[in-house]
Every structure is written in structure tokens, then in C-alpha cells.
Amino acid sequence: MKKKVIAMLLTTIMAGSLLAGCGNGGNSSEEENKGKKEEDTIKVMCVGTEADTYIDAYNSIAEKFSEDNEYGVNVEIEYYENEQYKTKLTTLMASNAVPDIFFTWELSYLEPFVEGGKVVDITSYLEEDKEWKESFADGTLELLSYDGKKYGIPTQKSLCVMFYNKQIFEENGISVPTTYEGFLEVCETLKTNGVTPMAMCGTDAWIPAQFVQQIAGGMAGDELFQDVCDGKEKWNNETHIKAAKEVKKMADKGYFQDGYIGMGPEESTDLFTNGKTAMYFMGAWDADKVSKSSIGEQAGAFVLPAYDAQYANISVGSSDTSFAISKNCKNVDAAVAFLKYWTSKESEEMLLYENGRIPAGNYPIDETKLSPLMSDVLKISNSQVGLTPWWDRQFGAGEGVEFNNTCVAVLGGEDAKTAFDALQQFAEDNADR
């Protein structure tokens, strides 16, 4: 699959269907699995931790499927923290020990596993069940397709939003900003009043990198993303450098919490959910966690205003929580059946209304069942005119991960141009890999 994606296609993915209406070791049902043979168990690897409120819902899907399916199989899900998962999956792939179903990101992340013959081609299953195939929002399956064949199933969609604490905003006499200058004024007002404006994590490089990418999109639009993918624009372009400098300025002004550069994702998230910071930039997948935290209904969300107003409503976003079937799977029919159940209307509605997970399917949405925060998220999604996937999903472990590391290096004090020049050199040195 060529390293390009059409931003408007991704807009259709997010907006189209919406307008139509992980600590580790957990498993789905230990009691039911006693006495079962290994071949009667479908094992699933997934990203998640005990802090993620959706874990019980995922296990519930596995348990319900295990109770009554024509294959007589039980489903066990094991969870791993994000970075731990990436390392674990790579190790298992190398030793041909990947379980039946594994969590995956789309685009270039899954591609090398497909090219290595590690993933089951599920095209025929989708073609034989047109109703299932057509239940997905336009474009979502294509993000997990290579050489015209389907290798993964997306279960959700997401985009980056700025979560905010309504009470803190009210107490400080500020409102949701509609311009980039207004956003910086909000940050300055909060800082002056002794409130930390934003929670930021520095140890997981993709988190500050997605903030840089969001700002870059607001400077040059989604055309920048497409041009980098097509090779028309270099990684060390002026916009990337300028966006990274903007985030560094915010850090230097104290808009992030003290010690953020060495702080992990859960610790930084807790600062926001415990009312210690006013804002928190993250994927919408955290909406349920935020809604069920101590700030509860005081949580809202807005799209970060564009640096240049003409590029408003272009966000970092794509499909989310996708799964692929390993070539090691001895019961592919049962594995496919489980993924069908996961993406059924029943399961997707439960995940949306109870856990704030935006479905990948074209299912009508009853907005009266949504939390106030999820209503904000869906309004943001419906307003988007373009989406750009995270760079490490688009370019995988190569330039994508290096982009993340480059952004952290700038926050750590490295000159932005020097850092992005090194990224461009890395891309050129590895152009033929």
C-alpha cells in the first residue's frame, strides 16, 4: 500500500456515519474456560490498562459471544499498556507466536505484518456477507486494505479534541476560544491566575507529537499531510518547524504542568481528571474516562482553533481499535464471527452509549442517550472538513516514530530546525528500505 491517504476520505469516515443518526492479563470469563481445550479458545491481544473504563465493556462482549456461538469457543482477552503492547506484538511476530486475534493500528503499522505473511486475508468473509461489509462507514475498511485485500476490521473511530474543565473556565472568567490567538489568551489568563492550563505527557512521544501535528494542520491545512505522504514536501518543512516551536513556546511559558517531560500518560491524565489542570489534548477515546472521573459533567470538549483561520476544523484522526487475525489462528471462521459480533449494532451501541466509543459502523445515533461530553465530541466530529491520521500510523516505525521523537527532542531543548533536518536525513537514508 502506498504511503498516501486522502484527507477527504477520512472526513467521510468520521462525519458520514455520525450524521447517520490496556495493565495486562485480564480475560473474559475464567469460569467458563475451565475444562476447555486450547483449540476451543480464541485468544485476543488488546491495548488497555486498568485505568481504561472500556475494559469491562470489551470483556462483556467477549463473555456474551462465548456464552452462545455456533463454534463452541470461548474468547479470552489479554491487555497491555500501549508501548508495552507494541514491543510485545513485535516480539511475538518475530517468533510466530501471535495469538488468534490482535489489536492493530491501520495503514503502515499493519502493513509489514501483512507483507510478512503473518495476517489472514479476510476479503472473502466480507464479500460473502455484504450486509456486514456495507455496515462500515465509507473508507474505514480501505485503511486496513493492502493490494486490494482486506486484512483488518475497525471497530471504532476517533479524532483529537481539547477536553476542558467547565468549572475552571467559569471561575476564571474565560470561555471556549474560537481563534488561535484566543486560545493562547486563555492559557495566559489561566497561568496568571495560578492554574495550570494543560496536562501534557512527555514519556510517550506520540502524545506531544499529535499536538504538534494538530497545530501544523491549522497552519497549512491537510494539504501539508498529503504532500508529505506523496513526497512533494519534506519532513523539515517550515510548517513542521514552526508548529514544534509553538508547542515549545507554550512549554516555556508554563502552559504545561511542571515536570511534564518525564511524566507518563496516566499520571498526566489524572491531573486533568482530578481538576488540577484546565485542559487536556487527547483522542476522543478518552471521553468516557473523563466523563466518569471526578470532574464528571463539568467536562467539555472543543476543537483546537486553527493557527490560520482558513484551515479550521482539520484534526488529527482516523479509525481506531482495529483487529486482525493471525495466521496462527486455527479457527478463522470463529475469529471472524467474533469480530462480526464486536461490530454488530448491539455491541457498537453499547460501546457508544455506555463507554463513549464512536462506532465504525453506519448505525443511527440517539443523541438523547449520549453524555454531554460525547455530544460535544460528536458535534466536533461532524464539523470537520479534513482528518489526518497520526504520523506513526501513516508511516509506521520509520519516519512516523521518528517524527514523534523529533517533537519530544524539541521540547527537550534541541533546536527545531536541527531536529527536523535530522528527521529528513533519516527519511532520505532509509528511502529504499
Side-chain angles (χ1 to χ4, degrees):
M1 177 181 179
K2 294 181 179 179
K3 289 181 176 176
K4 60 163 69 175
V5 74
I6 301 174
M8 290 309 296
L9 168 67
L10 287 166
T11 303
T12 302
I13 293 171
M14 287 298 298
S17 67
L18 296 177
L19 289 169
C22 55
N24 64 45
N27 62 58
S28 59
S29 182
E30 293 182 1
E31 290 300 318
E32 291 182 5
N33 291 336
K34 289 180 179 179
K36 284 283 187 180
K37 299 177 182 177
E38 185 175 353
E39 58 265 30
D40 293 329
T41 300
I42 295 292
K43 295 186 177 181
V44 183
M45 279 182 70
C46 189
V47 169
T49 72
E50 293 178 358
D52 293 314
T53 55
Y54 57 78
I55 296 297
D56 287 344
Y58 285 10
N59 286 339
S60 174
I61 291 173
E63 289 168 2
K64 290 178 181 178
F65 179 80
S66 298
E67 289 172 1
D68 182 24
N69 65 81
E70 63 180 291
Y71 303 95
V73 299
N74 286 320
V75 176
E76 294 180 358
I77 306 179
E78 293 188 344
Y79 298 96
Y80 301 86
E81 182 275 329
N82 190 297
E83 295 304 314
Q84 178 192 26
Y85 180 85
K86 294 173 183 176
T87 301
K88 180 77 172 179
L89 183 61
T90 300
T91 301
L92 292 177
M93 282 289 181
S95 59
N96 290 318
V98 180
D100 303 283
I101 298 173
F102 62 96
F103 174 104
T104 184
W105 291 274
E106 71 282 17
L107 298 166
S108 289
Y109 184 86
L110 182 61
E111 188 173 18
F113 302 139
V114 170
E115 292 178 344
K118 310 285 188 179
V119 188
V120 173
D121 173 5
I122 57 173
T123 307
S124 62
Y125 289 93
L126 287 159
E127 293 303 324
E128 290 167 5
D129 190 341
K130 295 292 186 181
E131 184 177 354
W132 184 39
K133 179 182 178 182
E134 293 172 4
S135 71
F136 294 94
D138 291 345
T140 52
L141 291 175
E142 280 63 34
L143 297 175
L144 293 149
S145 300
Y146 307 89
D147 294 328
K149 297 178 180 179
K150 310 289 191 297
Y151 288 90
I153 295 297
T155 69
Q156 294 151 22
K157 303 186 294 290
S158 198
L159 79 166
C160 287
V161 300
M162 184 68 80
F163 295 104
Y164 74 103
N165 188 314
K166 296 177 182 178
Q167 182 176 344
I168 291 178
F169 269 46
E170 183 178 349
E171 290 173 348
N172 288 273
I174 53 180
S175 57
V176 171
T178 57
T179 65
Y180 186 77
E181 292 78 11
F183 169 71
L184 295 179
E185 289 173 4
V186 163
C187 291
E188 188 59 33
T189 297
L190 289 165
K191 179 63 179 176
T192 299
N193 292 347
V195 178
T196 301
M198 285 179 281
M200 176 60 72
C201 160
T203 62
D204 283 24
W206 65 272
I207 295 177
Q210 69 181 1
F211 195 40
V212 173
Q213 185 178 346
Q214 178 72 35
I215 292 174
M219 290 177 170
D222 49 18
E223 185 177 355
L224 170 67
F225 180 90
Q226 193 62 55
D227 285 348
V228 171
C229 292
D230 292 342
K232 297 177 181 178
E233 186 64 87
K234 295 183 177 181
W235 287 98
N236 58 344
N237 60 76
E238 291 183 5
T239 302
H240 276 168
I241 295 171
K242 185 177 180 181
K245 286 182 176 179
E246 279 293 308
V247 177
K248 175 61 171 155
K249 285 180 188 176
M250 293 180 198
D252 291 345
K253 289 181 178 180
Y255 294 169
F256 306 144
Q257 75 274 20
D258 291 341
Y260 78 91
I261 201 72
M263 195 171 288
E266 289 189 17
E267 188 178 4
S268 59
T269 301
D270 286 347
L271 289 174
F272 175 73
T273 57
N274 288 322
K276 302 299 184 182
T277 69
M279 294 178 286
Y280 165 59
F281 187 74
M282 183 51 67
W285 55 72
D286 262 8
D288 187 53
K289 180 190 297 183
V290 171
S291 291
K292 294 176 179 175
S293 71
S294 60
I295 62 174
E297 293 190 1
Q298 290 302 319
F302 62 90
V303 62
L304 185 71
Y307 184 94
D308 185 334
Q310 68 176 309
Y311 300 121
N313 296 318
I314 295 173
S315 293
V316 179
S318 188
S319 64
D320 193 38
T321 313
S322 300
F323 291 99
I325 299 173
S326 164
K327 275 291 181 71
N328 294 331
C329 182
K330 292 181 171 59
N331 195 338
V332 175
D333 289 350
V336 170
F338 175 62
L339 294 182
K340 282 186 183 182
Y341 183 75
W342 188 302
T343 53
S344 66
K345 185 173 183 289
E346 174 188 359
S347 297
E348 292 279 47
E349 285 185 344
M350 182 266 289
L351 288 169
L352 172 63
Y353 300 132
E354 297 180 20
N355 300 95
R357 313 294 282 181
I358 303 173
N362 279 311
Y363 300 119
I365 293 175
D366 183 351
E367 295 194 15
T368 65
K369 295 182 179 179
L370 298 173
S371 69
L373 179 55
M374 275 307 298
S375 291
D376 281 356
V377 168
L378 291 185
K379 287 176 184 176
I380 293 170
S381 178
N382 289 336
S383 72
Q384 297 306 281
V385 298
L387 290 175
T388 60
W390 290 258
W391 280 123
D392 58 359
R393 299 191 189 189
Q394 181 68 17
F395 281 86
E399 291 90 334
V401 170
E402 287 304 312
F403 176 87
N404 296 347
N405 294 336
T406 298
C407 293
V408 173
V410 174
L411 288 176
E414 186 172 345
D415 174 72
K417 185 177 186 308
T418 300
F420 278 92
D421 283 348
L423 171 57
Q424 178 59 31
Q425 189 62 54
F426 172 88
E428 293 174 8
D429 291 344
N430 293 275
D432 297 326
R433 70 178 182 280

